[in-house]
Amino acid sequence: QVLLVESGGGLVQAGGSLTLSCVASGGTFSTYTMDWFRRAPGKEREFVARISGSGSSTYYADSVKGRFAISRDSAKNTVYLQMNSLKPEDTAVYYCAASKYYPPRGYDYWGQGTQVTVSS
């Protein structure tokens, strides 16, 4: 059983930056592909970014490409989402998810989410 806990959300002005963290406990972190998703009010959950277990491969949604960066620190069992040039449309609850496969065939674990609010 793997527990994922996100943190780092908050309120930021448009153009600002935030870094989200997702700490994993209870499993072999390096074996999991880690994804970030988000869900905005009234919208469906949306894929944001992905990183392979080794950290050598990343993938981004077009909506965040060039502004967001995903990374991981296996020593800390943590995956990060660096978010720059934030826009009001980035406002959402952000979730991390873990999958045993790359690319994922569904997700084994989800975090509880962290709220990001971008003011205009």
Side-chain angles (χ1 to χ4, degrees), residues 15-66:
S17 298
L18 278 176
T19 299
L20 305 183
S21 300
C22 171
V23 179
S25 59
T28 306
F29 180 64
S30 61
T31 64
Y32 288 94
T33 296
M34 299 297 298
D35 284 13
W36 284 97
F37 285 84
R38 65 186 181 187
R39 176 172 284 162
K43 295 187 177 181
E44 294 188 354
R45 187 176 63 200
E46 174 189 23
F47 167 79
V48 175
R50 172 173 301 144
I51 189 165
S52 62
S54 66
S56 61
S57 296
T58 58
Y59 181 71
Y60 297 93
D62 287 344
S63 58
V64 306
K65 200 173 295 183

Side-chain angles (χ1 to χ4, degrees), residues 67-78:
R67 299 188 299 122
F68 290 11
I70 190 170
S71 62
R72 65 193 298 160
D73 184 339
S74 291
K76 296 182 179 180
N77 283 2
T78 301

Side-chain angles (χ1 to χ4, degrees), residues 7-13 15-21 67-69 80-86 90 92 94 114-118:
S7 62
L11 174 64
V12 63
Q13 289 188 332
S17 298
L18 278 176
T19 299
L20 305 183
S21 300
R67 299 188 299 122
F68 290 11
Y80 303 97
L81 186 67
Q82 174 69 43
M83 305 185 296
N84 301 319
S85 303
L86 283 161
D90 293 318
Y94 284 72
T114 185
Q115 175 71 48
V116 172
T117 303
V118 184

